[in-house]
């Protein structure tokens, strides 16, 4: 059961096509695993297409954004989420980006007992990587100073914001001081996307820009 999902803002950015390649990879991979967000994304695509077709002058504010999300939430019943056992095969967007499945990832050592594999993208601002944290160990200190997206693929981790299992999605910024620990049952494999702070400064404009028609 997936309990942690991308924020409305991130979903809107993704639907608008304004996310960078690395973050889009994280969203696309989550959508592969999460029927609830997949349905929401389809509704966003439909609503966004309608707005593009009927543009109106004006600048929407937070109230407008809230009404968009309320409409999207109410327009269609959300399909029941199902437990999603993680198969050895990676979700397709990630497998295509990596060029292999989990059993063939060319891991590189990252500190003591942790491993990473940087995923090659054309993204100049954000970096996508697979992280493998040994069971029961803390995530090693890393150098990101901006926003970070984390999607659990295998195993689980916990921090002060909760427990994250396969399919769960965490958004963190540099205000969140946390030290995630891999749960003891098995190694935790995550897709992590780190961005420089500047990347998110124009979020508000990028989020509402596609919805100028309402
Ligand atoms: Zn979701």
């Amino acid at each position: 059961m997936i309990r942690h999902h991308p924020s409305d803002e991130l979903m809107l950015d993704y639907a608008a096509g304004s996310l960078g390649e690395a973050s889009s990879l994280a969203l696309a991979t989550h959508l592969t695993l999460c029927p609830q967000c997949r349905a929401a994304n389809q509704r966003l695509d439909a609503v966004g297409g309608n707005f593009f077709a009927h543009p109106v002058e004006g600048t929407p504010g937070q109230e407008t954004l809230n009404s968009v999300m309320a409409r999207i939430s109410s327009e269609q019943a959300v399909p029941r989420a199902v437990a999603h056992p993680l198969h050895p095969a990676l979700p397709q967007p990630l497998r295509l980006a990596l060029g292999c499945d989990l059993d063939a990832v060319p891991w590189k050592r990252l500190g003591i007992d942790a491993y990473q594999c940087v995923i090659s993208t054309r993204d100049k601002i954000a970096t996508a990587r697979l992280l493998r944290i040994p069971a029961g160990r803390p995530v090693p200190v890393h150098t990101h100073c901006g926003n970070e997206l984390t999607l659990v693929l295998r195993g689980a981790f916990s921090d002060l914001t909760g427990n994250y299992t396969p399919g769960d999605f965490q958004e963190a910024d540099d205000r969140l001081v946390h030290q995630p620990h891999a749960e003891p049952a098995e190694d935790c494999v995550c897709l992590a996307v780190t961005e420089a702070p500047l990347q998110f400064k124009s979020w508000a404009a990028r989020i509402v820009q596609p919805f100028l028609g309402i």
Side-chain angles (χ1 to χ4, degrees):
M1 178 69 80
I2 296 174
R3 291 162 299 168
H4 302 278
H5 304 272
S7 64
D8 290 344
E9 288 81 1
L10 203 57
M11 290 288 287
L12 283 165
D13 248 359
Y14 178 75
S18 56
L19 276 185
E21 188 177 340
S23 299
S24 293
L25 176 62
L27 264 288
T29 303
H30 177 78
L31 293 185
T32 304
L33 299 171
C34 181
Q36 180 179 331
C37 288
R38 208 157 54 233
N41 183 63
Q42 286 168 357
R43 294 194 295 278
L44 280 169
D45 279 347
V47 174
N50 186 44
F51 291 152
F52 276 127
H54 304 94
V56 175
E57 294 292 328
T59 304
Q62 185 62 39
E63 196 177 326
T64 302
L65 181 57
N66 291 343
S67 74
V68 169
M69 294 313 300
R71 253 177 82 184
I72 291 165
S73 301
S74 66
E75 279 181 1
Q76 190 176 321
V78 173
R80 196 165 60 87
V82 294
H84 195 289
L86 192 74
H87 300 291
L90 288 169
Q92 189 180 29
L94 193 50
R95 188 186 326 131
L96 290 174
L98 261 176
C100 65
D101 277 315
L102 212 47
D103 54 358
V105 172
W107 294 108
K108 288 194 166 55
R109 203 176 183 91
L110 178 70
I112 298 171
D113 286 341
Y115 299 85
Q116 71 165 349
C117 175
V118 174
I119 299 169
S120 176
T121 70
R122 289 159 297 184
D123 200 315
K124 296 282 188 278
I125 296 169
T127 301
R129 75 192 77 215
L130 287 186
L131 288 175
R132 180 156 63 92
I133 311 301
R137 302 294 291 266
V139 173
V141 175
H142 47 291
T143 57
H144 83 88
C145 58
N147 296 285
E148 185 175 53
L149 309 177
T150 305
L151 172 65
V152 179
L153 299 165
R154 174 169 289 178
F157 76 82
S158 294
D159 67 10
L160 76 173
T161 68
N163 176 255
Y164 295 79
T165 59
D168 279 335
F169 193 99
Q170 185 186 55
E171 293 177 56
D173 62 26
D174 53 7
R175 290 170 300 179
L176 177 65
V177 179
H178 67 151
Q179 185 172 36
H181 271 74
E183 295 290 340
E186 61 177 317
D187 289 0
C188 182
V189 178
C190 297
L191 170 63
V193 175
T194 49
E195 293 187 307
L198 275 178
Q199 172 69 8
F200 281 5
K201 280 190 174 170
S202 62
W203 256 31
R206 286 165 38 211
I207 291 162
V208 299
Q209 204 269 330
F211 302 101
L212 285 173
I214 57 174

